[in-house]
Amino acid sequence: MKKIVLQVATFLGALSCFGSVNATETRTPLVPLPSIGDFTNGDGWGVGLGLGVEYETAYEGSDEFEVEVDPAGGVQWRTGENIFFWAGEAIGWRTLARDSWLFQTSLGYEEGREEGDSEDGRLDGLGESSSGATVLLEVRYALAEDWRYFLDGRVSAGEIGTLGIFGAGTCLACQPDGTGWEIGAVVTFHDGELANRDFGVDTQQSIDSGLPETDVDSGYRSTGFNVSYRNYVNENWQIFGEALYEAFGSDVSDSPISRNDYEAEVGVGFIYVF
């Protein structure tokens, strides 16, 4: 993700019109899930600004790890059970239906892999993989009161291919203000275009890199586990953490681009909620 430089003083001045939440107030998010940030307080504008630090694999299938600092938070506007949001490189809308269905759609941008992503030169000759806009559609369904257990389905499609994610999760010690722990397990599938974008080697790439020509079939991609944590230090300061482990299927791990049969990342950060 490209780094975003913010003119903090000017931005904070512009946001002062949104005000802040009194110490005695309790924020009421759309759903009490730590992985779904809601900076509003029922209706109107909500703004959160912060930073996150991630320790993660350098690219899909890499055995190299790197530290990356990215902006965190976003701008939201809520009316009833609908939230319109901008966060990072995505804009979108989510809505709650019948207290147990959460629908979300967003438009984002996915950057491609570059040869320089490998400091060890393991991507030399492969060139840059394609970048492009993606549309995300997500549905979550609550299996128990207060979203203690839920099912999750996501489809991301665009110029770079299609990815499907299906899973289930549980919210541990979650509070009405959207804080607590969330644990999930997912299975992912990809089409041939996305599979070969990330793990394939075409004829020209094989000649330039010396890697064997590889065509990856569509279908099963990986099984993953994730943990999310969110908590308010006080009425405005929020801390968060997340961890992800993704074990690749045999078709992916057999690719010469895959130096590991898994992907992993862990991140922590803070957000100031106005």
Side-chain angles (χ1 to χ4, degrees), residues 118-182:
S118 172
E119 295 184 357
D120 295 340
R122 291 175 174 170
L123 299 175
D124 291 353
L126 295 177
E128 182 177 347
S129 65
S130 58
S131 304
T134 60
V135 175
L136 173 69
L137 301 175
E138 178 176 3
V139 178
R140 290 194 181 193
Y141 176 68
L143 297 172
E145 188 178 357
D146 297 327
W147 292 80
R148 178 65 183 272
Y149 303 102
F150 60 89
L151 299 177
D152 186 21
R154 283 167 276 171
V155 176
S156 175
E159 301 170 88
I160 62 173
T162 302
L163 179 71
I165 303 175
F166 308 94
T170 181
C171 201
L172 302 177
C174 287
Q175 302 300 315
D177 61 357
T179 61
W181 291 88
E182 182 183 318

Side-chain angles (χ1 to χ4, degrees), residues 27 37-41 46-48 73-74 76 230 238 271 273-274:
R27 294 186 182 274
D38 182 350
F39 308 129
T40 69
N41 190 35
V47 179
Q76 303 171 342
R230 193 179 299 271
Q238 183 184 107
I271 296 174
V273 181
F274 293 84

Side-chain angles (χ1 to χ4, degrees), residues 206-230:
S206 178
I207 295 171
D208 295 340
S209 67
L211 297 176
E213 191 171 344
T214 303
D215 182 73
V216 183
D217 293 333
S218 61
Y220 173 69
R221 181 184 179 100
S222 64
T223 297
F225 302 91
N226 56 79
V227 178
S228 299
Y229 172 74
R230 193 179 299 271

Side-chain angles (χ1 to χ4, degrees), residues 6 26 39 51 63 79-80 91 96 114 129 136 141 156 173 199 222 250:
L6 297 174
T26 300
F39 308 129
L51 287 175
D63 61 355
T79 174
I91 56 173
L96 182 65
E114 300 179 357
S129 65
L136 173 69
Y141 176 68
S156 175
F199 302 104
S222 64
S250 57

Side-chain angles (χ1 to χ4, degrees), residues 4 35 40 65 103 116 127 152 169 174-175 191 196 213 215 233 245 260:
I4 300 174
S35 63
T40 69
F65 287 80
F103 298 93
D152 186 21
C174 287
Q175 302 300 315
D191 68 357
N196 284 287
E213 191 171 344
D215 182 73
V233 178
Y245 179 86
N260 262 335

